[in-house]
């Protein structure tokens, strides 16, 4: 059954390579093309694979999802704009959203009609998220929100965001108790998005300013003042087997591409090159097998829980290794890159340069390596604080 499904996915993706390409422009995402491609995936029954059918999903098994991720790693797909929605917000709404919220938000998320972002971090609150100061003041049957968020990935494309706000006093132990998660329309009056350019030349994340933004009461995810539980659930999904799976597939695609690029340069016979590629392959396979194990245990009723932090640490390390090996083996091609339109040597300089530049971010985004090590030490190994 899963093998039939795998074959169907490969056949469909091969037939729709052209549509996938239209989701990219000049090495980055073309949002309209990406939305169109996501709509095609949905029509083909290839979105929300493990979600319940009542919420627009396909009701399939984790093994189907894994087969899908493995096949998609072989293709360049413009699905990045939908990952926050599909892998973090969607599962959180399935877990703690109201029926009305699930009906309203999940189907358009699956169809690629609504892109989501996560408005958590602030200039004074990253690892220590409970220090956040964006305030949601009660106003009639809703809230008025004022604050400043930062590092909000893809906010410039987003239609909707999950927004962490302070509704309680924030004093002492009430820090965690007084938080509320809200859904905000990114085009609501008072929301301003300002892109931040990163060192790879991309505008991936943004600052978001909220000035007296009105949000209705029906937009609370989970409990009012109980947003800590909602955000912990969302971060667990981000670091979970599903998140690890997604990232591992993306990295597996890069590893394969690097092996091909090296082979094309006729240096694959050198012992030092072979050694580095073998090291990369082994680490990639180890992560792959670890995630397969987490999958199987999840299916058997033992969710990954905090072990998602182990997976996140592993893929952060793998991304850095990919960057090191890429720099060593491709040399100047990685640093001296021209825009795609100005190169004529057939080498995808921009792709490799960006691979190296963004590698460090895996160990920061979604909770830094130090924070993951703290979780592993204290909650998995039972070490003292
Ligand atoms: C590519 C990328 C995308 C991102 N996307 C989003 C997004 O979409 N939405 C969003 O809200 N945020 C996003 N972020 C922000 C990210 O969640 C934060 O950068 C991260 O949580 C760290 O917070 P900080 O930057 O404030 O660093 P800080 O928390 O100030 O940490 C600084 C340093 O101190 C260390 N440190 C802090 N506390 C501890 C501790 N208790 N023990 C040990 N070491 C500690 C950290 O590990 C780090 O090395 C993104 C970040 C990146 C890089």
């Amino acid at each position: 059954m899963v093998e039939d499904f795998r074959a169907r996915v490969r056949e469909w993706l091969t037939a729709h390579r052209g549509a996938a390409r239209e989701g990219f422009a000049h090495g980055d995402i073309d949002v309209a093309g990406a939305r169109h491609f996501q709509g095609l995936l949905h029509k083909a029954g290839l979105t929300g694979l493990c979600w319940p059918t009542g919420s627009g999903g396909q009701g399939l098994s984790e093994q189907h999802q894994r087969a899908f991720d493995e096949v998609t790693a072989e293709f360049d797909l413009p699905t990045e704009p939908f990952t926050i929605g599909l892998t973090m917000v969607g599962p959180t709404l399935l877990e703690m959203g109201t029926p009305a919220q699930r009906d309203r938000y999940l189907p358009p998320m699956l169809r690629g009609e609504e892109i989501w972002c996560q408005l958590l971090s602030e200039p004074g609150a990253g690892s220590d998220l409970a220090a956040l100061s964006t305030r949601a003041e009660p106003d009639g049957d809703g809230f008025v929100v004022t604050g400043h968020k930062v590092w909000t990935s893809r906010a410039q494309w987003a239609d909707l965001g999950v927004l962490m706000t302070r509704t309680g006093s924030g004093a002492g132990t009430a820090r965690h108790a007084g938080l509320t998660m809200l859904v905000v329309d990114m085009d609501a009056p008072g929301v301003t998005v300002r892109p931040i350019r990163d060192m790879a030349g991309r505008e991936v994340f943004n600052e978001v300013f909220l000035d007296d933004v009105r949000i209705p009461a029906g937009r609370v995810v989970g409990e009012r003042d109980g947003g800590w539980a909602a955000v912990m659930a969302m971060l667990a999904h981000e670091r979970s087997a599903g998140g690890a799976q997604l990232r591992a597939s993306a990295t597996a695609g890069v590893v394969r591409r690097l092996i091909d690029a090296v082979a094309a340069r006729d240096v694959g016979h050198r012992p030092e090159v072979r050694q580095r590629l073998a090291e990369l392959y082994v680490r990639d396979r180890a992560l792959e097998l670890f995630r397969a194990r987490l999958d199987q245990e999840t299916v058997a009723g033992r969710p990954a829980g905090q072990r998602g932090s182990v997976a996140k640490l592993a893929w952060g390390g793998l991304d850095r290794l990919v960057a090191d090996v890429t720099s060593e083996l491709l040399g100047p091609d990685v640093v001296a890159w021209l825009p795609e339109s100005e190169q004529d040597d057939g080498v995808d300089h921009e792709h490799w340069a960006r691979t190296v530049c963004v590698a460090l971010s895996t160990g920061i985004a979604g909770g830094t390596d130090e924070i993951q090590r703290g979780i592993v030490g204290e909650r998995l190994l039972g070490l003292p604080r």
Side-chain angles (χ1 to χ4, degrees), residues 84 88 116-129 149-155 162 164 198 202 204-206 234-235 238-239 247 358 360-374 378 385:
I84 290 179
M88 300 170 211
W116 285 74
C117 66
Q118 248 180 348
L119 298 136
L120 315 181
S121 307
E122 298 182 2
S127 302
D128 184 13
L129 189 60
K149 296 289 177 178
V150 72
W151 314 126
T152 317
S153 300
R154 303 307 192 195
V162 278
M164 283 305 290
D198 67 22
R202 306 174 316 163
V204 176
F205 35 49
N206 303 266
M234 193 163 69
L235 287 175
E238 184 167 0
R239 296 165 191 165
R247 294 301 306 249
V358 302
L360 283 179
S361 70
T362 313
I364 303 173
T368 65
D369 279 359
E370 289 78 11
I371 295 298
Q372 307 311 320
R373 285 195 192 98
E378 287 167 26
R385 281 179 73 88

Side-chain angles (χ1 to χ4, degrees), residues 49-100:
L49 298 183
C50 303
W51 291 13
T53 45
S55 296
Q58 308 296 328
L60 296 173
S61 69
E62 298 279 345
Q63 285 94 328
H64 286 86
Q65 181 69 52
R66 197 164 145 240
F68 179 82
D69 292 334
E70 281 166 8
V71 178
T72 51
E74 298 165 25
F75 295 78
D76 254 352
L77 301 184
T79 45
E80 191 198 336
F82 312 104
T83 53
I84 290 179
L86 295 175
T87 66
M88 300 170 211
V89 182
T92 307
L93 291 175
L94 282 170
E95 199 179 321
M96 19 184 52
T98 61

